Every structure is written in C-alpha cells, then in structure tokens.
Amino acid sequence: MSSELGNVIVTVDGSEESMHALRWALENLKLRSTPPGTFTILHVQSPPSITTGLNPGAIPFGGPTDFEVPAFTAAIEAHQRRITEAVLCHALEICREKNMNVKTHVVVGDPKDKICEVVETSRADLVVMGNRAFGPIKRMFLGSVSNYVANHAQCPVIIVKGKGTSS
C-alpha cells in the first residue's frame, strides 16, 4: 500500500465507534492529489424485510398467506430513511469540521456482504471501520462485521478501536 491512497471507504453505522473511525481516517490518511483521491462514507441500511413485524405472517384459519400491511411497510422504510439521513448528517458534520470533501454511498442489505461488494465494485484501496467490541456471546450470535470484512474484502482493512476498547 502506498503512502497516498486513491479510494478510501469509511463505513458508518451511527455508532460512536464508527464516527471515531471516521475521525481517525480523516486525521491520519493522506489521499493522492493527482488525480485527487476520495473518501467515501458508506452506510449500509437494513432491508425492510428483516425488520421485526414487517410481515405479520399468515392469518390463522384460512386467511391470506402473503399478507403485508403497505402502510406499515412504508412507515418502516420512512423511518429507516430518517435514520440513514441522521447518520450521514452526523458523518458529514465531522468531515466539515476537518475541511474534507467526501462522497456518500448508501446500500441496503446485510452489512457484511454489502461492504465487501462495494469495496470490490469501487476498487477501494482501503476500508476503515470501527469496532463495536461486542462481548464473546453477542459476537457468537450476531457475528462481527469488522472481522468478516477483514477476512473477505479485496483490499486492506483498518479496524479502529474505540476509546477504552480492550477487545
């Protein structure tokens, strides 16, 4: 990896750990000046289909089996858009404080897979992400996005631990 990078992806999920990783990247990484390198802030939004209660399931005793409540689906999608806007707004404010121009990119799906897909399609030179430091039990059930990306991304990955994080 050269000392000047062309395409850096920083993942943000709204957690303080991801915002700490963004600050770290902006302070510590140098982008190419010609052609200008880019920082891309990537947020992966959960798909509505995995949101609890989106599909209430079949109505017992002969009701429709593919029953969805369109208003409920629309409300969940609107709520997810508001969350995404808030996360990106916070991240962009951090970038403004550092006088950095960045791109934003939002994808919908499983963060593990989507981050790796974006890294590959954008030909990223580096991924920077925070570490939420789940304990061993949570990590066993939820998995570790940073661990998965570190092992599957097609470029180097820097995992920035939060302040006071020991694992």
Side-chain angles (χ1 to χ4, degrees), residues 62-120:
T65 57
D66 292 327
F67 181 72
E68 277 192 20
V69 181
F72 190 58
T73 302
I76 290 171
E77 290 171 349
H79 179 70
Q80 287 178 313
R81 279 192 302 277
R82 286 191 301 273
I83 291 170
T84 296
E85 288 170 9
V87 168
L88 292 178
C89 185
H90 186 201
L92 290 171
E93 183 58 35
I94 290 168
C95 295
R96 275 191 288 280
E97 290 169 6
K98 306 286 183 190
N99 292 321
M100 292 294 292
N101 272 338
V102 297
K103 295 179 183 178
T104 59
H105 189 61
V106 177
V107 292
V108 178
D110 179 8
K112 294 174 185 177
D113 297 326
K114 290 299 179 179
I115 292 169
C116 290
E117 279 179 28
V118 171
V119 165
E120 189 172 336

Side-chain angles (χ1 to χ4, degrees), residues 39-161:
F39 276 107
T40 301
I41 297 173
L42 173 64
H43 176 70
V44 181
Q45 184 176 300
S46 297
S49 62
I50 66 169
T51 305
T52 305
L54 178 62
N55 186 348
I59 297 175
F61 310 114
T65 57
D66 292 327
F67 181 72
E68 277 192 20
V69 181
F72 190 58
T73 302
I76 290 171
E77 290 171 349
H79 179 70
Q80 287 178 313
R81 279 192 302 277
R82 286 191 301 273
I83 291 170
T84 296
E85 288 170 9
V87 168
L88 292 178
C89 185
H90 186 201
L92 290 171
E93 183 58 35
I94 290 168
C95 295
R96 275 191 288 280
E97 290 169 6
K98 306 286 183 190
N99 292 321
M100 292 294 292
N101 272 338
V102 297
K103 295 179 183 178
T104 59
H105 189 61
V106 177
V107 292
V108 178
D110 179 8
K112 294 174 185 177
D113 297 326
K114 290 299 179 179
I115 292 169
C116 290
E117 279 179 28
V118 171
V119 165
E120 189 172 336
T121 59
S122 68
R123 298 181 182 203
D125 295 319
L126 179 69
V127 175
V128 178
M129 55 194 319
N131 180 357
R132 296 185 78 184
F134 288 138
I137 299 203
K138 268 191 180 177
R139 193 170 28 244
M140 182 173 65
F141 288 107
L142 298 176
S144 169
V145 174
S146 58
N147 184 51
Y148 183 90
V149 172
N151 286 295
H152 293 88
Q154 299 296 314
C155 70
V157 177
I158 294 178
I159 300 170
V160 180
K161 290 187 176 185

Side-chain angles (χ1 to χ4, degrees), residues 16-33:
E16 191 49 44
E17 293 86 357
S18 71
M19 296 305 168
H20 176 67
L22 174 60
R23 285 184 193 92
W24 183 91
L26 294 173
E27 292 169 2
N28 292 287
L29 299 176
K30 185 175 181 182
L31 297 176
R32 272 187 225 132
S33 54

